[in-house]
């Protein structure tokens, strides 16, 4: 294990504001059109029984009420206390204007029926037009973008933290320039503690990881074992990560799967991972990564797999003047 971060017995690492974050979380996104009602609730309850304490959700996933119900039921039956659970919510792209920030967070809290979230992050550094539609389009079917002042949005988030509605503040899909905008903001009150980005052995983010380490920002990696092959948002030209021979052969040595090796690789370098799964067996399987560790040579071999390939291309932003913003480090 690298000595630059300290791992608690509960598999948590510290955040720069004095709070801590579990290294492994469960991503709770499910396509609302195809995911049966109750799935998120059942899977979060199972995950808590398995040992997960970190849940990554969002208002725009349309299932925060189920996730909140699961958490509250497991608190009620004595399995966990509220302070054992770490919930991350996200500020969606239509809520960047400062006056919309707190109402958006309050919608998440109302859906969860919780008093606070542990982490609240700006989901993307660009904005859509504010309004009732989460994905606003013009009559030609093009997305309607909106000017965003990230520093003003951040000040509104700082006020939410000061009001006790959120414990920690972070960002997502930010590159170095966008992080610097916040870090260099005059009168910055609360630093971003985390940056949630795509991160896995084919996209290891070495420069961004180093920059974030220097500034005490934890990287939270989404798609840590690759992604579902959903053509609407996934680059299907990407080779399937879990078939990689290096991951498979290292896994054989430890009697682990390539997915477990990919997850272990990231947590061993201090990157939090949030694999999404609504499959009970996979939820259990992904948690079995704390009973082995990779050698320095194995870590280097996995780092060498980096192809700078991202699975999630965020094509809804492809007409935005800053696209592809996330390819600048």
């Amino acid at each position: 294990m690298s000595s630059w971060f300290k791992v608690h017995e509960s598999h948590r690492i510290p955040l720069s504001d004095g709070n801590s974050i579990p290294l492994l979380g469960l991503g709770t996104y499910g396509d609302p059109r195809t995911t049966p009602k109750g799935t998120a609730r059942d899977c979060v309850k199972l995950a808590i029984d398995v040992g997960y304490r970190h849940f990554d959700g969002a208002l725009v996933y349309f299932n925060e009420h189920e996730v909140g119900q699961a958490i509250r039921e497991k608190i009620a039956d004595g399995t966990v206390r509220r302070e054992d659970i770490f919930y991350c919510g996200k500020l969606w792209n239509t809520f960047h204007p400062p006056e919309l920030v707190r109402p958006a967070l309050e919608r998440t809290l109302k859906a969860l029926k919780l008093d606070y979230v542990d982490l609240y992050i700006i989901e993307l550094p660009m904005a859509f037009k504010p309004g009732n539609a989460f994905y606003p389009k013009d009559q030609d079917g093009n997305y309607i973008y909106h000017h965003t002042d990230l520093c003003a949005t951040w000040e509104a988030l700082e006020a939410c933290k000061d009001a006790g509605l959120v414990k920690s503040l972070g960002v997502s899909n930010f590159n170095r320039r966008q992080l610097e905008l916040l870090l260099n903001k005059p009168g910055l009150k609360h630093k971003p503690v985390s940056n949630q980005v795509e991160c896995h052995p084919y996209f290891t983010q070495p420069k961004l990881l180093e920059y974030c380490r220097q500034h005490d920002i934890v990287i939270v990696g989404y798609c840590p074992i690759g992604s579902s092959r959903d053509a609407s948002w996934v680059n299907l030209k990407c080779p399937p990560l879990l078939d990689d021979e290096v991951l498979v052969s290292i896994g054989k040595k430890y009697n682990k799967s390539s997915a477990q090796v990919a997850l272990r690789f990231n947590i061993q370098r201090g990157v939090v991972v949030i694999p999404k799964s609504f499959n009970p067996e996979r939820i259990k399987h992904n948690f079995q990564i704390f009973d082995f560790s990779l050698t320095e040579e194995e870590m280097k071999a996995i780092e060498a797999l980096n192809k700078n390939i991202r699975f999630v291309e965020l094509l809804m932003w492809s007409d935005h003047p800053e696209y592809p913003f996330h390819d600048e480090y």
Side-chain angles (χ1 to χ4, degrees):
M1 277 258 176
S2 310
S3 55
W4 70 270
F5 69 96
K6 209 75 179 149
V7 181
H8 301 207
E9 271 177 43
S10 57
H11 313 306
R12 285 176 174 252
I13 57 171
L15 297 169
S16 64
D17 61 1
N19 296 317
S20 64
I21 184 169
L23 274 165
L24 175 63
L26 181 73
T28 61
Y29 173 76
D31 185 333
R33 294 162 301 194
T34 56
T35 307
K37 280 190 171 55
T39 305
R41 190 202 65 173
D42 294 346
C43 288
V44 170
K45 285 179 77 172
L46 169 78
I48 290 173
D49 288 337
V50 167
Y52 288 80
R53 296 295 178 260
H54 174 179
F55 298 94
D56 182 82
L59 182 68
V60 77
Y61 296 174
F62 298 102
N63 62 8
E64 284 190 311
H65 57 290
E66 290 192 22
V67 175
Q69 186 185 357
I71 291 168
R72 286 180 289 104
E73 285 178 12
K74 296 314 288 181
I75 291 170
D77 75 9
T79 307
V80 287
R81 301 163 303 169
R82 171 64 187 93
E83 57 268 32
D84 299 327
I85 295 292
F86 188 98
Y87 183 83
C88 172
K90 303 187 185 81
L91 181 75
W92 181 241
N93 318 323
T94 53
F95 301 112
H96 281 210
E99 67 278 9
L100 300 182
V101 170
R102 179 164 174 163
L105 172 53
E106 285 172 338
R107 276 177 72 175
T108 276
L109 293 172
K110 192 177 172 188
L112 293 166
K113 294 194 175 136
L114 295 174
D115 297 331
Y116 66 89
V117 291
D118 300 273
L119 178 62
Y120 198 58
I121 63 180
I122 301 177
E123 190 153 356
L124 279 156
M126 292 97 57
F128 282 148
K129 180 182 172 226
N132 293 330
F134 282 171
Y135 299 92
K137 291 182 177 178
D138 62 20
Q139 62 258 44
D140 298 323
N142 300 309
Y143 289 106
I144 308 171
Y145 303 128
H146 195 258
H147 167 74
T148 182
D149 177 349
L150 290 172
C151 289
T153 304
W154 191 256
E155 285 173 7
L157 285 167
E158 289 178 324
C160 292
K161 177 171 158 83
D162 291 338
L165 302 180
V166 51
K167 300 278 189 196
S168 298
L169 300 173
V171 296
S172 180
N173 298 301
F174 273 47
N175 60 28
R176 177 182 176 154
R177 183 177 55 79
Q178 291 150 347
L179 288 168
E180 282 177 345
L181 198 64
L182 295 184
L183 294 173
N184 298 332
K185 187 183 96 59
L188 180 69
K189 202 169 180 186
H190 302 300
K191 262 177 60 171
V193 299
S194 62
N195 186 15
Q196 186 179 127
V197 294
E198 181 170 342
C199 192
H200 48 75
Y202 283 176
F203 196 65
T204 56
Q205 298 269 26
K207 287 182 178 170
L208 187 63
L209 181 57
E210 187 49 41
Y211 176 81
C212 286
R213 279 180 182 171
Q214 287 166 6
H215 293 272
D216 225 355
I217 296 169
V218 168
I219 292 264
V220 177
Y222 65 76
C223 296
I225 47 180
S227 178
S228 66
R229 313 298 275 178
D230 177 345
S232 63
W233 60 283
V234 171
N235 174 4
L236 293 181
K237 296 194 289 285
C238 292
L241 173 71
L242 299 184
D243 294 346
D244 190 276
E245 288 172 20
V246 173
L247 299 177
V248 171
S249 66
I250 291 172
K252 281 185 178 145
K253 173 181 163 185
Y254 297 104
N255 201 19
K256 295 288 178 182
S257 69
S258 53
Q260 289 166 326
V261 171
L263 292 171
R264 179 72 206 181
F265 162 71
N266 260 333
I267 66 162
Q268 202 161 311
R269 52 191 204 134
V271 172
V272 174
V273 287
I274 46 168
K276 179 259 144 183
S277 181
F278 283 161
N279 174 312
E281 286 316 305
R282 228 168 287 141
I283 289 170
K284 292 176 195 161
H285 183 86
N286 289 345
F287 197 77
Q288 307 305 312
I289 58 172
F290 298 105
D291 57 354
F292 76 110
S293 66
L294 302 166
T295 66
E296 206 172 319
E297 292 72 34
E298 287 162 347
M299 290 292 287
K300 284 196 174 119
I302 298 171
E303 268 165 27
L305 296 177
N306 184 35
K307 303 179 195 303
N308 283 322
I309 283 180
R310 60 170 76 244
F311 291 104
V312 179
E313 293 188 307
L314 300 169
L315 292 177
M316 64 184 82
W317 300 100
S318 56
D319 295 327
H320 193 280
E322 290 195 28
Y323 189 86
F325 65 96
H326 54 359
D327 282 342
E328 315 158 32
Y329 116 70

